[in-house]
Amino acid sequence: DIQMTQSPSSLSASVGDRVTITCRASQNIGTYLNWFQQKPGKAPKLLIYAASSLQSGVPSRFSGSGSGTDFTLTISSLQPEDFATYYCQQSYSTPITFGGGTKVEIK
Amino acid sequence: EVQLVESGGGLIQPGGSLRLSCAASGFTVSSNYMNWVRQAPGKGLEWVSVIYSGDTTFYADSVKGRFTISRDNSKDMVYLQMNSLRAEDTAIYYCARSYRFDPWGQGTLVTVSS
């Protein structure tokens, strides 16, 4: 199974900060990497697919990069509505696996 | 509008069975691959199962042999039959479309407890 390791597991940031979350795969997954945002009590929402493609309707302050084993989600200027938990996920092979999540909290 | 709505969750005793349903609207399930994902209380996301457009299915090791995914193309429905339920199956169960996992339904809560 492909293991997905996210870091950090949590972070505190202020509105307007630039935030970076990293995700590492245990083997090469090309660009079969998705990023999701989940707010309390809600279903996850797709932000980025294929490592760097912005899902329709998602603000452009979100961006993704990387390929192979190392990936990054960047929020260029954190907004109040961005405080949530973020998950990476590999869709390269089954079993599909998620990272452990990164909780972004208000500083 | 593309939408998924899950139903069928509830409280069930260990060893019992439950069938979850996922109703799709705005697209046809026959031409998409459909996933089930679960989230235990306060925990992260765990992929459970997928059914491809050609009816090939895959399962997480934790549910293999106990859960069965299926679909009814005429009704645009996807199902998850869950047998021999255990306490550790307690979770919110979501369905999600395609390799992008977009969209997700609102989820249905399954609680396995005596």
Side-chain angles (χ1 to χ4, degrees):
Chain A
D1 298 3
I2 299 174
Q3 307 304 315
M4 305 300 293
T5 303
Q6 266 182 258
S7 61
S9 57
S10 66
L11 65 91
S12 295
S14 300
V15 172
D17 284 354
R18 181 180 182 89
V19 169
T20 298
I21 299 169
T22 63
C23 180
R24 175 163 289 177
S26 61
Q27 66 185 71
N28 189 334
I29 60 170
T31 56
Y32 287 87
L33 191 284
N34 299 326
W35 287 98
F36 300 91
Q37 177 194 65
Q38 187 178 32
K39 295 181 179 179
K42 300 294 187 182
K45 172 188 169 184
L46 177 67
L47 298 176
I48 302 286
Y49 64 94
S52 60
S53 296
L54 189 68
Q55 174 67 356
S56 176
V58 173
S60 59
R61 62 181 179 272
F62 291 94
S63 64
S65 65
S67 66
T69 60
D70 293 312
F71 302 88
T72 300
L73 174 70
T74 300
I75 309 172
S76 61
S77 178
L78 197 66
Q79 298 301 300
E81 59 268 30
D82 300 337
F83 292 95
T85 300
Y86 294 85
Y87 294 94
C88 62
Q89 175 222 47
Q90 65 81 17
S91 58
Y92 178 79
S93 66
T94 57
I96 292 164
T97 45
F98 292 86
T102 296
K103 187 173 184 178
V104 177
E105 299 175 302
I106 301 171
K107 182 183 281 185
Chain B
E1 180 190 5
V2 174
Q3 191 174 9
L4 295 168
V5 178
E6 302 93 337
S7 60
L11 175 63
I12 187 78
Q13 292 189 337
S17 297
L18 210 54
R19 188 179 83 156
L20 305 183
S21 300
C22 171
S25 56
F27 71 100
T28 56
V29 299
S30 61
S31 57
N32 284 270
Y33 77 70
M34 301 295 298
N35 302 276
W36 286 97
V37 177
R38 68 185 181 183
Q39 187 169 36
K43 301 297 184 182
L45 301 169
E46 180 189 17
W47 173 80
V48 172
S49 182
V50 63
I51 183 166
Y52 291 143
S53 54
D55 283 345
T56 301
T57 60
F58 292 95
Y59 300 91
D61 284 346
S62 58
V63 306
K64 200 173 296 182
R66 300 188 298 123
F67 290 11
T68 303
I69 190 172
S70 62
R71 68 170 163 232
D72 184 333
N73 293 334
S74 67
K75 297 181 179 178
D76 279 324
M77 296 286 294
V78 181
Y79 304 101
L80 187 69
Q81 177 67 43
M82 305 187 297
N83 299 330
S84 302
L85 282 161
R86 307 166 180 168
E88 55 265 36
D89 296 317
T90 293
I92 298 172
Y93 285 74
Y94 299 98
C95 59
R97 181 183 71 160
S98 88
Y99 70 96
R100 294 186 189 181
F101 287 70
D102 178 73
W104 297 56
Q106 86 289 350
T108 187
L109 177 62
V110 173
T111 303
V112 184
S113 175
S114 55

